[in-house]
Amino acid sequence: MTVVKVETQTDRSAQVAQVIAEPKSAVLHRHLHHSFLSLARGQGSNLILQDGRKIFDASGGAAVACIGHGDGRVVKAAMKQMSEVAYCATIFYTTNVCEELCQFLVNSTRGHMARAYIVNSGSEAMEAAMKLARQYFLEKSPPEPRRTRFISRDQSYHGITIGSLSMGGHKYRREKFQPLLLDNVSRVSPCFPYRNQYRGESDQQYVDRLAAELDEEFQRVGGDTVCAFVAEPVVGAALGCVSAVPGYFKAMQAVCDKYGALLIFDEVMSGMGRTGTLHAWEQEGVVPDIQTIGKCLGGGYQPVAGVLANHRVMDAFEKGTATFVHGHTYQGHPVGCAAALEVQRIIKEENLIQNVDKMGCLLSQLLRQRIGNHPNVGDIRGRGLFWGIEFVADKATGTPFPAQAHVAMEISEMGLAEMYSIAVYPGSGTVDGANGDHIILSPPYNVSAEDMRFIADTVARLIEDFFADRAGA
């Protein structure tokens, strides 16, 4: 005889009570129903979980941890500053450590930049850059108050606040907030040779085509209404470490000069040594008017980012009101400045940027050897220690996986499993803002050749296993 259990109201109430009694995180996480791994500490290139398991941080988080984790020298510098003065109200005061950091940054540009402005995140830096560009045209003589517009690029990412999100072209991040975004930003095509350069089209022809597109956009919106053209020298999260073809940025700068607009480089992800030179623009043969920096400025030891402005921009301010109408409670934060200054001292004294170039060449070679011919690897690209791997459903046609397949995220999550224990950074919307997947590898600057072999071998095994499991599902 079969006994059927009838669920009563009492049973249901008990179940609800049990769910309520279960401990829940009070954190508004990125996903409310996901169980996040809990970190205990970081040590060098490794992240160590509460259960003691080590994960090799091959992405430095979001390309942040440029000298690895747990460096006692940075901790000591930050603690020393905290014990002296932890906060500075910049409306009245300055600190030696902020002055030193800004002087270091200006000096690092070999005289091209005039001043630096220190904030706490890349999004804040882009907001400041936008306002700086707008105010420049009010300060210059004669002023140009009609300039209120910006031109950026599709499939770009410049930050998550309303202004910086308006500047970017990342569809997924924008779509829910589209009604709130600024309507004075328009976009042109990115320089994305793997996807957009025609077969048989030379680099120069491709550059000419993109320059003509930018010129047409200036004409469409009115050349005398544009403050600046904004671009990442190496596109990070949105496209997966895409460099421009030779001559591209010189051509873009020429179009900006034609219409009297500024050139703004977003180097929050690709700058401060990540791509093989301290400033990514050093490899492009151009100098931007305004530059944002961030992640590898402080290496994750403190929230810190910044803006650099060249003499053209600063001369207008000095001859004008001499006042930047912008400010944050925590701008020029002394502890953030101390951490950043120590990170930059370590990078310089240990010649880590030279190591970035050397180890980056090795990583590129190893990745191409191991997975260059994999049927689901469409492209391997990057500079320095900033490498992207784009995945495709069909190698011959470059057809991407659909967005709902979540390929990049699933590969990244699989990498955290004990049999791989490696962290890579996922990206989606690579092809058109919705479809397409890539992962980013951006390890610390002080990695060794042995580390490069481990990363290449482990990532290759991860990719091979993922697609083998997918094919067998």
Side-chain angles (χ1 to χ4, degrees):
M1 179 178 179
T2 302
V3 178
V4 179
K5 185 178 186 301
V6 178
E7 188 180 61
T8 66
Q9 179 63 45
T10 302
D11 294 329
R12 287 193 292 272
S13 298
Q15 291 171 2
V16 170
Q18 181 179 356
V19 170
I20 293 173
E22 290 177 355
K24 285 187 176 181
S25 173
V27 177
L28 178 54
H29 283 295
R30 290 172 181 251
H31 195 299
L32 300 184
H33 299 151
H34 182 79
S35 295
F36 292 87
L37 298 175
S38 182
L39 291 177
R41 65 188 189 278
Q43 186 177 65
S45 295
N46 291 298
L47 296 168
I48 303 171
L49 304 181
Q50 292 289 351
D51 62 7
R53 183 161 68 89
K54 291 182 179 180
I55 293 176
F56 192 96
D57 192 5
S59 68
V64 174
C66 56
I67 63 167
H69 304 279
D71 192 305
R73 294 168 293 182
V74 186
V75 174
K76 182 178 179 181
M79 291 297 290
K80 179 177 182 293
Q81 183 59 51
M82 196 176 296
S83 69
E84 293 171 354
V85 57
Y87 164 69
C88 174
T90 55
I91 192 171
F92 299 115
Y93 314 105
T94 187
T95 58
N96 288 340
V97 71
C98 182
E99 297 288 340
E100 286 181 43
L101 177 61
C102 291
Q103 192 63 60
F104 163 81
L105 291 171
V106 168
N107 291 348
S108 73
T109 68
R110 301 188 304 279
H112 289 296
M113 295 297 182
R115 294 200 182 233
Y117 181 82
I118 304 301
V119 291
N120 303 297
S121 72
S123 296
E124 288 181 24
M126 180 52 64
E127 296 275 339
M130 293 170 69
K131 293 173 77 172
L132 193 64
R134 163 60 181 170
Q135 194 179 337
Y136 161 76
F137 286 104
L138 300 179
E139 299 287 337
K140 69 184 290 289
S141 181
E144 299 183 56
R146 279 174 48 81
R147 291 192 185 264
T148 59
R149 300 190 60 86
F150 293 88
I151 301 174
S152 65
R153 303 190 296 182
D154 291 324
Q155 293 149 276
S156 59
Y157 179 63
H158 296 295
I160 208 69
T161 53
I162 292 297
S164 61
L165 190 62
S166 299
M167 186 66 76
H170 197 284
K171 289 183 180 179
Y172 174 76
R173 287 181 170 96
R174 289 171 56 91
E175 62 183 356
K176 286 182 170 60
F177 309 103
Q178 192 68 49
L180 306 179
L181 301 183
L182 306 177
D183 61 4
N184 62 335
V185 181
S186 59
R187 275 162 286 279
V188 294
S189 302
C191 186
F192 190 3
Y194 172 64
R195 287 285 174 186
N196 298 339
Q197 189 170 4
Y198 299 149
R199 182 171 296 180
E201 185 178 39
S202 69
D203 286 351
Q204 187 58 57
Q205 289 170 327
Y206 186 33
V207 167
D208 291 344
R209 177 160 62 89
L210 293 174
E213 181 185 353
L214 181 61
D215 194 293
E216 289 168 6
E217 184 61 16
F218 267 97
Q219 293 181 47
R220 187 187 72 83
V221 300
D224 63 345
T225 70
V226 177
C227 290
F229 172 60
V230 181
E232 301 161 86
V234 181
V235 184
L239 288 183
C241 307
V242 172
S243 301
V245 299
Y248 169 78
F249 281 110
K250 283 187 177 181
M252 299 303 106
Q253 187 176 55
V255 176
C256 291
D257 290 345
K258 176 181 176 180
Y259 293 98
L262 301 178
L263 176 63
I264 298 177
F265 272 1
D266 180 345
E267 295 200 9
V268 168
M269 201 171 200
S270 63
M272 301 312 295
R274 176 56 67 188
T275 57
T277 49
L278 192 64
H279 304 290
W281 52 258
E282 294 178 79
Q283 301 174 59
E284 302 297 342
V286 301
V287 179
D289 295 290
I290 298 171
Q291 168 192 359
T292 62
I293 54 178
K295 300 176 187 298
C296 291
L297 174 60
Y301 286 88
Q302 284 287 295
V304 62
V307 180
L308 291 166
N310 70 6
H311 293 277
R312 171 188 180 184
V313 173
M314 286 292 92
D315 285 351
F317 275 78
E318 289 182 9
K319 294 173 183 176
T321 65
T323 302
F324 182 29
V325 188
H326 186 66
H328 289 276
T329 299
Y330 295 118
Q331 74 182 60
H333 194 275
V335 183
C337 290
L341 196 60
E342 184 64 13
V343 167
Q344 295 308 309
R345 184 193 66 79
I346 292 168
I347 290 172
K348 183 176 181 179
E349 291 186 0
E350 297 185 359
N351 297 314
L352 293 185
I353 293 180
Q354 290 90 327
N355 196 57
V356 168
D357 189 50
K358 182 180 178 181
M359 292 299 105
C361 290
L362 177 59
L363 181 59
S364 168
Q365 177 186 347
L366 293 171
L367 289 173
R368 295 181 197 283
Q369 288 174 354
R370 285 298 312 271
I371 55 172
N373 293 324
H374 191 283
N376 298 113
V377 173
D379 193 30
I380 299 170
R381 56 195 177 233
R383 287 184 188 171
L385 285 175
F386 198 43
W387 287 90
I389 302 170
E390 183 174 342
F391 303 109
V392 292
D394 187 293
K395 197 177 185 78
T397 63
T399 303
F401 290 98
Q404 58 268 28
H406 305 295
V407 167
M409 181 58 76
E410 290 189 10
I411 288 174
S412 300
E413 290 181 343
M414 184 172 169
L416 298 176
E418 189 167 1
M419 65 185 299
Y420 308 104
S421 292
I422 193 167
V424 299
Y425 189 75
S428 59
T430 320
V431 177
D432 55 12
N435 301 294
D437 297 88
H438 64 263
I439 59 171
I440 291 176
L441 302 175
S442 45
Y445 299 175
N446 47 13
V447 286
S448 65
E450 183 181 355
D451 293 328
M452 295 299 92
R453 286 188 284 272
F454 171 80
I455 291 172
D457 289 344
T458 307
V459 169
R461 183 163 54 90
L462 171 63
I463 290 170
E464 290 163 354
D465 290 352
F466 175 82
F467 287 107
D469 290 349
R470 185 183 179 88

